[in-house]
Amino acid sequence: MACAAASPVAALPRPAFAERAPAAAPFTQAQREAIARAEAALSAIRTLKARFLQADSRGGTAQGTVWMQRPNRARFVYDPPSTILVVADGTIVTFFDRAVNQTSAVPIGSTPLGTLLADRVRLDEGEARVSAVALGEGLVRITVVRRSNPAEGSLTLTFADPPLELRQWTVIDAQGREVRVTLYEVETGLRIDQSLFRFVPPDLGTPQPR
């Protein structure tokens, strides 16, 4: 299996020239209700553990385990042969690549985790704007962009329904590159060891938690 080079929570880069957001078409009552239900469903998840499958637009794929805790904490551990570790400690998201022993960090607010793991999720408030809502049989898909600069990228959340449960998110950046993360074997309401959300450069010979 090829390893996806992109991160599941990559920062959405800001292009040199902002574009004015097009006027959004009015949402139907059903679409507005779907947005409200999605916000409530996400906010209700205080802790989560799941397996994930990641795929990117270049054909790369990877799998791993993710732990999430609201607000703003997460850990993505990739299965071998991937060498990536991603840790969000509540403020900063740290990306570590064991293959080259390289670390980088960005504020969580510049990544999709800032939306997914806010203490109280608001998809269409402040800088977040819902640009599209698709309702299908057993499926709800909501796309969110930055209100002041929608050209910098988008985050699309896909829910199974009913009951409304997050199953996938897709990030598209300003260059049109796509990363899709699908969750399975999802468990919620767990007690999670808080040390998982502290980034410590791992001993390269020590197996990572699963």
Side-chain angles (χ1 to χ4, degrees):
M1 177 176 291
C3 172
S7 162
V9 292
L12 300 179
R14 188 179 300 276
F17 299 97
E19 297 182 10
R20 182 178 299 276
F27 291 125
T28 65
Q29 180 65 26
Q31 289 172 320
R32 290 194 297 270
E33 289 175 355
I35 295 170
R37 291 173 60 220
E39 292 173 336
L42 291 173
S43 296
I45 300 172
R46 306 314 296 181
T47 59
L48 175 149
K49 178 183 178 182
R51 293 286 293 165
F52 69 87
L53 172 63
Q54 177 180 318
D56 66 37
S57 54
R58 293 177 292 184
T61 60
Q63 296 186 78
T65 302
V66 58
W67 295 260
M68 293 182 173
Q69 179 173 301
R70 197 174 309 283
N72 297 331
R73 289 169 174 80
R75 183 183 186 96
F76 293 80
V77 176
Y78 287 75
D79 296 345
S82 177
T83 57
I84 303 297
L85 171 67
V86 180
V87 180
D89 64 5
T91 305
I92 299 296
V93 182
T94 301
F95 305 85
F96 180 71
D97 188 343
R98 287 189 216 120
V100 293
N101 196 27
Q102 181 175 327
T103 303
S104 61
V106 297
I108 193 167
S110 66
T111 77
L113 285 182
T115 297
L116 286 173
L117 290 179
D119 192 31
R120 188 178 179 201
V121 177
R122 287 293 178 263
L123 300 178
D124 199 35
E125 186 175 287
E127 267 294 279
R129 178 173 71 82
V130 174
S131 62
V133 178
L135 306 178
E137 188 68 31
L139 188 73
V140 173
R141 184 173 289 117
I142 299 173
T143 298
V144 181
V145 297
R146 190 180 296 275
R147 194 177 301 274
S148 61
N149 194 357
E152 72 181 2
S154 66
L155 168 66
T156 297
L157 305 174
T158 301
F159 299 83
D161 185 42
L164 200 69
E165 296 178 338
L166 180 65
R167 285 293 176 259
Q168 184 182 91
W169 67 82
T170 303
V171 177
I172 300 177
D173 69 15
Q175 286 73 46
R177 295 172 299 202
E178 177 179 314
V179 177
R180 183 174 64 255
V181 177
T182 302
L183 303 179
Y184 61 101
E185 296 179 11
V186 178
E187 302 175 74
T188 59
L190 307 171
R191 293 180 63 88
I192 298 178
D193 182 349
Q194 296 304 290
S195 67
L196 287 176
F197 305 126
R198 293 193 294 270
F199 175 73
V200 178
D203 181 338
L204 300 187
T206 302
Q208 293 299 298
R210 290 281 178 257

